[in-house]
Amino acid sequence: MKYFFISLITLLCYSNLAFAQYSELLHKPYPEQIEILSDLYAGANMGEILSLPAMEETVAGMRELGIKENDQNLVMEADLFEAFYKVYNQIEGIEALIRVQKESEKKGFLYIASRAANAIAVVYWENMEFEKSIHWHLILDELISDMTIAEFPDKAFFLQAIGSDFRFFGDYEKAISYFKRVVDLPIDDFYIYPYRHSLNNLGHSYRELGKIDSSDFAFRRLTPIRHLSNGLVLLQEI
């Protein structure tokens, strides 16, 4: 009985915290949602941080609030959050994420569709199904191609990840094309991680092709920003 009450108190505390988080998402543009979503999804990635009952209550609350306040984006976000939790904690198969990705793309929620596509690619990569992973990363590339970095800051992370796919398989020319799209962006603290790694990978990729001058130039650009870092828990998997 003692442990039941401890669990109940923990659930209530998380529920209140989660409500405070997702209620701040209402009718906000995506850049203003990022930090809140980062905190929300950080608990979903590991089941011991966010229990299944707490997740279910959070999702139900998100849907109820989204419907009440006529925010269909929040309702769709709840679908992604639920699928992400269940797939990453091996409660359901990857089909749950694929359903959300296709539905959100069909309804025009492209930021959610893009994050879902990246999550699918990550799951396939972790399962060593590389062809399927790259397939979904290329779908992601199409989705984000016309988005500006200002409206969708995750774009830098996703481009760096796609470039890393091709570098892994030795397609350095293709990898370089993605890394250059990242390092051509203005430096920003939010995406300093993929910016820095893209410069580093760019240097190594040029070296593999024997383009030493280009490689040296990339490494020289990297040196002044090596000390920069970002403490925010980022949405690299969603």
Side-chain angles (χ1 to χ4, degrees):
M1 182 65 70
K2 169 185 167 184
Y3 295 108
F4 169 78
F5 282 115
I6 291 173
S7 298
L8 180 60
I9 291 169
T10 301
L11 176 60
L12 289 173
C13 288
Y14 184 86
S15 298
N16 290 334
L17 176 61
F19 177 80
Q21 290 175 326
Y22 65 71
S23 63
E24 291 297 315
L25 298 173
L26 271 172
H27 303 296
K28 295 282 181 66
Y30 182 69
E32 294 181 26
Q33 296 181 333
I34 290 175
E35 188 170 357
I36 300 164
L37 290 171
S38 297
D39 291 341
L40 195 62
Y41 279 84
N45 199 19
M46 298 293 287
E48 64 267 21
I49 298 175
L50 175 61
S51 68
L52 180 60
M55 181 278 293
E56 290 173 338
E57 184 166 336
T58 298
V59 166
M62 291 172 72
R63 288 190 179 121
E64 182 180 358
L65 184 62
I67 292 169
K68 178 183 177 182
E69 299 294 335
N70 194 28
D71 188 345
Q72 293 305 309
N73 186 80
L74 183 58
V75 176
M76 197 79 244
E77 188 68 58
D79 291 346
L80 176 58
F81 184 60
E82 180 178 29
F84 179 86
Y85 182 98
K86 289 182 175 179
V87 172
Y88 274 73
N89 291 287
Q90 300 181 339
I91 298 170
E92 290 190 18
I94 198 169
E95 294 77 18
L97 274 172
I98 293 174
R99 284 194 300 271
V100 172
Q101 195 284 327
K102 290 183 176 180
E103 183 181 359
S104 56
E105 183 177 356
K106 181 179 179 181
K107 291 182 176 180
F109 298 110
L110 298 185
Y111 302 146
I112 292 175
S114 299
R115 289 162 46 224
N118 183 67
I120 294 164
V122 170
V123 172
Y124 276 131
W125 191 275
E126 290 177 349
N127 291 334
M128 301 184 72
E129 296 184 69
F130 301 123
E131 187 174 346
K132 291 180 180 179
S133 178
I134 292 175
H135 168 75
W136 277 99
H137 261 164
L138 292 178
I139 290 174
L140 171 63
D141 186 23
E142 290 184 14
L143 286 168
I144 65 177
S145 61
D146 293 330
M147 296 180 190
T148 67
I149 194 67
E151 64 180 321
F152 192 59
D154 302 49
K155 183 174 183 175
F157 290 91
F158 295 160
L159 291 174
Q160 189 264 329
I162 299 170
S164 295
D165 289 352
F166 289 105
R167 180 171 177 251
F168 180 83
F169 287 106
D171 191 343
Y172 298 109
E173 294 285 3
K174 194 77 171 176
I176 286 169
S177 71
Y178 285 98
F179 297 142
K180 286 181 70 175
R181 287 166 66 184
V182 179
V183 303
D184 286 344
L185 297 169
I187 297 178
D188 186 276
D189 186 58
F190 176 79
Y191 52 78
I192 196 65
Y193 173 88
Y195 192 97
R196 187 174 57 222
H197 281 266
S198 291
L199 272 175
N200 185 62
N201 291 337
L202 196 60
H204 285 294
S205 297
Y206 276 129
R207 239 169 180 75
E208 291 290 342
L209 296 174
K211 299 181 179 181
I212 305 304
D213 288 345
S214 296
S215 174
D216 289 345
F217 181 70
F219 287 135
R220 282 197 299 271
R221 287 183 63 189
L222 174 64
T223 302
I225 64 170
R226 275 182 174 161
H227 67 286
L228 298 176
S229 62
N230 185 351
L232 185 64
V233 179
L234 300 172
L235 303 174
Q236 295 174 51
E237 293 187 341
I238 58 177

